[in-house]
Amino acid sequence: MIESAIEALFIVLDPSRLVYMFIGIGIGVVVGLLPGLSGTVGMSLMLPFVFGLDPYVGMALLIGMIAVIHTGDTFPSILLGIPGTSGSQATIMDGFPLAKRGEASRAMGAAFFCSMIGGVIGGIALYLTIPFARPLITSFSSPELFMLTMLGLSMAGLLAGKSPLKGIISGILGLLIGSVGSAPAVPEYRYTFDTLYLTQGVSLPVVAMAIFAFPIIITMLTNKGSVANHATLQSGILKGVMDALKNKFLVFRSAVIGVLIGFIPGLGGSVVDWIAYGAGQKTVKNNHFGKGDIRGVIAPESANNAKEGGSLVPTLLFGIPGSGTTAILLGGLTLMGLEAGPKMLTTDLSVTLSIVWTLVFANVFGALLCMILVRPISKISFVPGEKIVPFLLVLLVIGAYQSTMSWGDLIIFVMIGLLGYVMTILDWPRPPLLIGFVLALPAERYYWISIERYGWEWITNPIVIFLAVIIVVLLSGGAIMKRFSKDYEQGGIN
């Protein structure tokens, strides 16, 4: 295992791959910086460009971006009081008051350093999980893999927030879109409407960009003007780093919380910051959380980046995307000729280990980059949304068209994009739709293989029963944890 890790390190340090990692880091910082964008939007923009790339290069780009999104989103959260992404909401509670006191650089110094440490801990957790997961996952056959896809689909309820029913319906809609084209088990075409373009199904990059990025484009056009009128910047980054070092146990505890929450599919960035914030509020003595306490920044920022390492475990090793971002990453693996599951621990182990190294390096370099560019980067938040739209629109059109080089991609992009915008207006969750789309064909394929090989006896398989129990436990436990985090959120806001 150590020899494989060293081999993967040399692969990652190849100059051509480092260039792509730094490109991903730069994109991730900008995506986190711009309020309204998120990891799903950034990933959907990048996905078409990894098609056909060398897996090491493609993963360097994608993981480099994922690793630092929750580092870049610190800027609007602290400077403007606006969450850059859903995972930076709790940072506002103490980061923005610190900024109003003229201590924005101190808050950002602590946040960037904690993000770096949390990301490194997440990468280590991913590495340590591999030896334990390998003997388990390599013993899985089609029935167990089918139940794993069911586990991924069951996350639709958790990703729906307050309305699990909406999440389930959204996931079913994703299944319907994913079933367009040739069937994996029988020689027939479905929902093609006698159109040659649809016989190959709908392209994953087109669906991902349409469902997440298209609504953002419309929102930016309708919400004119910049998001802030002023922001005070003073020196104090080093002071923030020292604050983090003084609270090293809080940093470590919060990072562990982030890893554990990342392990649970369906929770992710929308709740991990509040859970870490609430845990810090209960364990830190003489705190003034909500009034500009630096420890209120340290706790959620440590957990945010650590969560990414934890969330990659079910995504890479079991093929279970627990969020929209990891669902797109799962699609990225497919576009590069990889398959999540047993192969990531056997024939493609070097790719998995390269992801670990990339996650660690990207967190370190991303945090250092943010510290260096605090003043110039913060000015981007003042750019009006309508001036950013043309650049995003060009990327979207190019990305959609190059999927299959067909005009049908652009038509589907607009149609599904309008669907995504309607879902946004009606407050329907979009990540479940993408998860349903990604898992539609694998679920059907594993189901038919199980039936053909074992009849209905596979239902009595102990591992199948165990996974069914896990689905029930995660759904019930996830609902409880969401309610727990909501209580802290309401308490913090009040």
Side-chain angles (χ1 to χ4, degrees), residues 94-303:
D94 291 276
F96 192 51
L98 283 167
K100 289 193 290 186
R101 294 208 308 250
E103 298 183 84
S105 292
R106 177 193 177 193
M108 286 191 286
F112 294 147
F113 183 78
C114 292
S115 294
M116 178 180 68
I117 299 300
V120 171
I121 291 176
I124 294 173
L126 175 60
Y127 174 75
L128 295 177
T129 305
I130 293 173
F132 298 99
R134 176 184 281 183
L136 174 64
I137 197 169
T138 52
S139 65
F140 279 14
S141 58
S142 56
E144 292 85 359
L145 292 173
F146 170 72
M147 288 304 297
L148 286 175
T149 60
M150 290 297 100
L151 179 59
L153 290 171
S154 68
M155 294 303 105
L158 286 178
L159 293 175
K162 299 177 182 179
S163 179
L165 180 60
K166 289 182 178 179
I168 293 172
I169 296 175
S170 179
I172 293 174
L173 186 58
L175 287 172
L176 288 174
I177 298 175
S179 63
V180 172
S182 60
V186 291
E188 66 179 25
Y189 293 98
R190 301 172 300 195
Y191 311 120
T192 59
F193 306 102
D194 296 325
T195 303
L196 181 62
Y197 165 76
L198 292 177
T199 57
Q200 298 301 317
V202 181
S203 172
L204 172 62
V206 173
V207 174
M209 289 189 296
I211 204 68
F212 289 109
F214 190 91
I216 294 297
I217 294 291
I218 298 178
T219 302
M220 283 185 170
L221 288 174
T222 54
N223 297 337
K224 296 183 177 181
S226 59
V227 295
N229 298 318
H230 69 280
T232 304
L233 285 175
Q234 297 179 3
S235 60
I237 292 179
L238 184 59
K239 184 179 180 181
V241 173
M242 296 305 297
D243 287 326
L245 292 174
K246 290 177 183 177
N247 295 276
K248 53 184 175 295
F249 294 112
L250 176 61
V251 174
F252 181 76
R253 287 199 307 270
S254 301
V256 171
I257 290 174
V259 171
L260 294 176
I261 296 300
F263 280 152
I264 304 174
L267 294 183
S270 60
V271 300
V272 65
D273 58 328
W274 288 113
I275 293 176
Y277 186 86
Q281 190 175 28
K282 292 296 183 182
T283 56
V284 173
K285 297 181 180 179
N286 303 319
N287 70 77
H288 301 284
F289 277 39
K291 299 179 181 179
D293 192 322
I294 192 66
R295 293 168 294 185
V297 174
I298 290 173
E301 288 299 318
S302 301

Side-chain angles (χ1 to χ4, degrees), residues 38-41 43-44 47 59 62-63 65-66 69-70 152 155 159 204 208 212 261-269 307-334 340 359 431-432 434-435 438-439:
S38 63
T40 51
V41 175
M43 286 285 286
S44 63
L47 196 60
M59 294 313 295
L62 296 180
I63 298 298
M65 184 186 65
I66 291 175
I69 286 176
H70 291 300
M155 294 303 105
L159 293 175
L204 172 62
F212 289 109
I261 296 300
F263 280 152
I264 304 174
L267 294 183
K307 179 265 300 178
E308 298 302 332
S311 65
L312 287 175
V313 173
T315 302
L316 295 176
L317 307 187
F318 297 95
I320 304 173
S323 66
T325 303
T326 51
I328 299 175
L329 178 63
L330 196 61
L333 292 173
T334 303
L359 190 64
L434 188 62
I435 289 179
V438 170
L439 295 180

